[in-house]
Each structure stands twice: as C-alpha cells, then as structure tokens.
C-alpha cells in the first residue's frame, strides 16, 4: 500500500465534520476558522518508539496516547480542542498497524470533537508527532506564570499509577495481582491517559496558574514556580494516591524503586517524580476555593489540595512528622 492510499483510506476518510473546517485533508494546507473573539492555542508532542512507549505497545494505545498528550497540553491552557494534525513516520507501510493506530486515535478524537485536518506520512523509525489546536476566549488562557504567595496548590486525579504501569511493562516489578484489575488499571493509565479537558475549561478565569503533569509532579510544578517567581510547600501525606497504589506501598514497596531522599518513603518519592500522570496541577487564590468547588461538579474528576505557594523560591516538603525538607524538582528529562 502506497503513501497516498494509506492517507485516503485511513486519515482522510471523514470521521468527524466540523463546520469550522474550510479546507481539510487533501490540499497543501488546512484552512480553519477560529470563532470570533477567541485565540488559537497550539501544542505539539512527539512519541518515539522505545523512548515514549515500549516497542511492543499496542498500536491503538499509541494512537490514543499520541493525541491524549496533546489534549492534555490544551487542557492545561484552558483551551477547547478543535483540530489536530498528524505526522507519522514508520519503517514500512504497515496497513494493519495503521488501522489499529487509527482506532485508538479517532476514538479519543471523537470523544472530544477533534477533527484530523492534515498531516504528513514518511518512512523512518516509528515516530508520531501530533499537533493539536484549540481555542480560548481572548486573554483567558491559563498560564504557568501567575501563581501568587498564599495561593493553594491543587492536583487532579491520583499520582504515580501510570509510573507503576510502566514499571510493570518494563519488567521492573511484579504488581500485586489482587485486587483483580488493579495492575491492568495502572497500565491503562500509562497507555490511555484521560486528558483533563473539562477541568481545564472550568479553571479559566479561576486558576492563577496551571500545568499538565507529564514529567512528574515535582518537575512540572517546578516550572510553575520558576515562571511565577515563587516557591511552594507540599504536604507529602496529601499527595492523592489510588487505593491500589496504597496497597502496592503496603505489600510490594520495591515496585517504587529507590527514594533519592532518605527521609522520604519510596512511594512518596515515586508519586512526586514518576512521569505520565497527565493530571493537571494548578494554583488558586484561597478566596476562590468556593467557586472552584461549585464548578467541579461538572468536570468528572476529583481534585486535591496538596500545598501552598509562598514567596521563598524552591520546593519544600512537609513530612508527616512535622519536618520540612527542601526538594529538588526531579522528573523525566531527555537531555
Ligand atoms: P504535501 O506533498 O503537500 O506535503 P502530502 O502528499 O504530504 O502533501 O499530503 C497530502 C494530503 O494528505 C495533505 O492534505 C496532508 O495534510 C494529508 N496527510 C498526509 N499524511 C497525513 C496523515 N498522516 N494524517 C492526516 N493527513 C495527512
Ligand atoms: Mg507532505
């Protein structure tokens, strides 16, 4: 199957109509209409086989995740997703692989009303770049900068489950088999992260700063602190963990590897530093927490207050025993 047949059969077959698409797949570029009064938000992320996903990952999971990580970036900006482009590089024109990839990709695209409007198809080591486009009312994009001393720090969902899923996938640990489905749920968190789009939208005009957690909470919160010119104190015992995560901590703590900070249990270090959570971390003025609670009813995920912004630069951890220790943001970095 040739390049153009692949494009026609799998990418151009119209799956989602949006009336803001003037020209879609099939021309030299897409022509798109942004609603009046809105600003365009653009994000791109690349997944490389062997680096971002193990080589034996199901193509449908790769398809899902390649879009999910971009929608997560849009969510962190408070944007409404609308369109995506896809640059696909693969060693050979593997139709079975592409069909399966599309199944995962379009499943998430449809769930969020995102239309694929263009792309590029080339030969080379398996690499997927997706660019997502969305919009926000002018001036309302959420930013990394803007956190103020006294603001509360929140995180959505739970931390570290995807990290456990990766440890299991790489054979670094054996997750407990009971309760049934616990280990599979961790692998699902790794392969099919649910971008927190509704939460991001609800945080417009409410959060003082936001970021999505791709490289680990401490590393990504570190970006917010740096951009905002502030510091933070996190309560270690408030870090949200799933029930299964706590069970692993009790039964098989070796799954978390080693803590690089002696006073910190490995399961807490892992929750702070493992990547692939794709939760949102945001800050909000204490006076606006009641408003936050009122919008949460419609966003479909829980949020947890984990600490406080202060004016002293850097990140500090409050431990259960009352001790406070400085923590160097640690997470995944390519270089
Ligand atoms: P060009 O030669 O102008 O770069 P291409 O031949 O690469 O155009 O692509 C033809 C059309 O198919 C373009 O509209 C392009 O956006 C679209 N396209 C190519 N590859 C993909 C893909 N993987 N996903 C979606 N659209 C694609
Ligand atoms: Mg091209």
């Amino acid at each position: 199957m040739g390049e153009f047949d692949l494009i026609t059969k799998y990418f151009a077959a119209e799956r989602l109509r949006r009336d803001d698409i003037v020209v879609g797949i099939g021309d030299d570029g897409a022509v798109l209409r942004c609603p009046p009064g809105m600003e365009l938000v653009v994000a791109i992320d690349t997944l490389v086989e062997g680096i971002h996903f193990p080589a034996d990952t199901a193509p449908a999971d790769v398809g899902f995740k390649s879009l999910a990580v971009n929608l997560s970036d849009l969510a962190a900006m408070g944007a409404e997703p609308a369109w995506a482009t896809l640059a696909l590089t693969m060693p050979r024109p593997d139709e079975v692989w592409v069909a399966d990839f599309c199944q995962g990709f379009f499943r998430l695209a449809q769930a969020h009303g995102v239309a694929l409007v263009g792309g590029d198809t080339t030969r080379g080591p398996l690499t997927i770049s997706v660019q997502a486009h969305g919009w926000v009312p002018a001036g309302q994009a959420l930013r990394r900068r803007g956190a103020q001393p006294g603001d509360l720090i929140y995180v959505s969902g739970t931390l570290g489950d995807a990290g456990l899923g990766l440890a299991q996938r790489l054979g670094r640990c054996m997750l407990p088999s009971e309760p049934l489905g616990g280990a599979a749920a961790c692998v699902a968190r790794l392969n099919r992260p649910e971008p927190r789009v509704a939460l991001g939208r609800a945080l417009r005009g409410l959060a003082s700063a936001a970021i999505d957690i791709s490289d680990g909470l401490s590393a990504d919160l570190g970006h917010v602190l740096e951009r905002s010119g502030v510091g933070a104190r996190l309560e270690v015992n408030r870090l949200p963990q799933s029930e299964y995560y706590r069970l692993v901590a009790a039964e098989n703590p070796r799954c978390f590897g080693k803590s690089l900070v002696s006073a910190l249990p490995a399961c807490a270090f892992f929750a702070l530093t493992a990547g692939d959570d794709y939760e949102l971390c945001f800050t909000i003025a204490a006076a606006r927490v009641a408003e936050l609670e009122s919008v949460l009813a419609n966003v479909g995920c829980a949020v947890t207050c984990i600490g406080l912004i202060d004016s002293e630069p850097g990140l500090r951890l409050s431990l259960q025993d009352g001790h406070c220790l400085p923590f160097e943001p640690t997470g995944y970095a390519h270089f």
Side-chain angles (χ1 to χ4, degrees):
M1 195 172 219
E3 174 190 337
F4 297 109
D5 301 324
L6 268 181
I7 295 169
T8 309
K9 184 164 175 191
Y10 291 101
F11 301 118
E14 215 156 320
R15 308 193 183 229
L16 190 98
R17 281 178 193 280
R18 291 182 59 104
D19 56 16
D20 50 17
I21 302 173
V22 182
V23 178
I25 292 175
D27 221 303
D28 291 311
V31 181
L32 308 166
R33 215 182 288 121
C34 205
M38 303 294 170
E39 287 170 343
L40 187 64
V41 179
V42 179
I44 185 166
D45 260 312
T46 297
L47 303 187
V48 179
E49 183 184 48
I51 293 178
H52 299 90
F53 58 91
D56 59 349
T57 304
D61 288 337
V62 177
F64 188 101
K65 188 164 181 174
S66 68
L67 181 58
V69 299
N70 282 283
L71 296 190
S72 178
D73 281 324
L74 292 190
M77 301 298 292
E80 183 74 36
W83 315 288
T85 52
L86 163 68
L88 178 60
T89 303
M90 56 192 157
R92 57 198 176 84
D94 182 340
E95 200 183 337
V96 174
W97 191 94
V98 171
D100 201 23
F101 172 92
C102 283
Q103 203 221 321
F105 183 95
F106 286 111
R107 182 185 175 143
L108 184 66
Q110 250 149 17
H112 289 276
V114 171
L116 183 67
V117 295
D120 198 22
T121 305
T122 55
R123 185 189 295 269
L126 187 59
T127 305
I128 301 101
S129 285
V130 173
Q131 186 171 53
H133 317 77
W135 45 260
V136 286
Q140 285 193 35
L142 299 172
R143 304 286 309 273
R144 294 179 177 188
R145 66 163 201 227
Q148 303 273 349
D151 287 356
L152 300 172
I153 305 167
Y154 279 79
V155 67
S156 64
T158 57
L159 299 170
D161 302 293
L164 282 182
L166 182 63
Q168 162 104 338
R169 284 284 281 109
L170 297 179
R172 288 185 188 149
C173 80
M174 273 290 286
L175 291 174
S177 55
E178 298 280 334
L180 221 57
C186 288
V187 175
R189 283 289 309 264
L190 174 71
N191 287 334
R192 299 206 172 209
E194 228 13 272
R196 302 303 191 186
V197 172
L199 175 61
R201 202 191 289 125
L203 292 176
R204 278 183 209 153
L206 196 53
S208 51
I211 192 166
D212 73 317
I213 307 174
S214 52
D215 298 332
L217 171 67
S218 70
D220 289 315
L221 175 60
H223 297 311
V224 169
L225 302 182
E226 204 169 305
R227 282 303 173 91
S228 300
V230 294
R233 189 174 173 131
L234 292 183
E235 307 277 339
V236 167
N237 61 351
R238 287 209 206 163
L239 296 175
Q241 295 165 350
S242 66
E243 246 170 75
Y244 184 74
Y245 192 93
R246 291 208 187 88
L247 186 132
V248 176
E251 285 192 2
N252 203 352
R254 281 195 305 184
C255 286
F256 299 112
K258 278 215 162 64
S259 171
L260 297 182
V261 178
S262 57
L264 201 61
C267 71
F269 184 83
F270 193 85
L272 285 163
T273 58
D276 283 309
D277 292 318
Y278 294 102
E279 296 293 351
L280 295 188
C281 177
F282 59 95
T283 59
I284 182 169
R288 306 204 60 188
V289 167
E291 283 171 81
L292 172 67
E293 270 153 22
S294 72
V295 299
L296 282 177
N298 308 314
V299 307
C301 71
V303 301
T304 307
C305 181
I306 56 172
L308 192 66
I309 296 290
D310 55 34
S311 54
E312 188 188 335
L315 183 59
R316 286 159 295 284
L317 303 180
S318 290
L319 304 182
Q320 223 144 359
D321 62 8
H323 277 92
C324 185
L325 70 148
F327 188 81
E328 190 58 41
T330 311
Y332 190 81
H334 285 274
F335 300 107

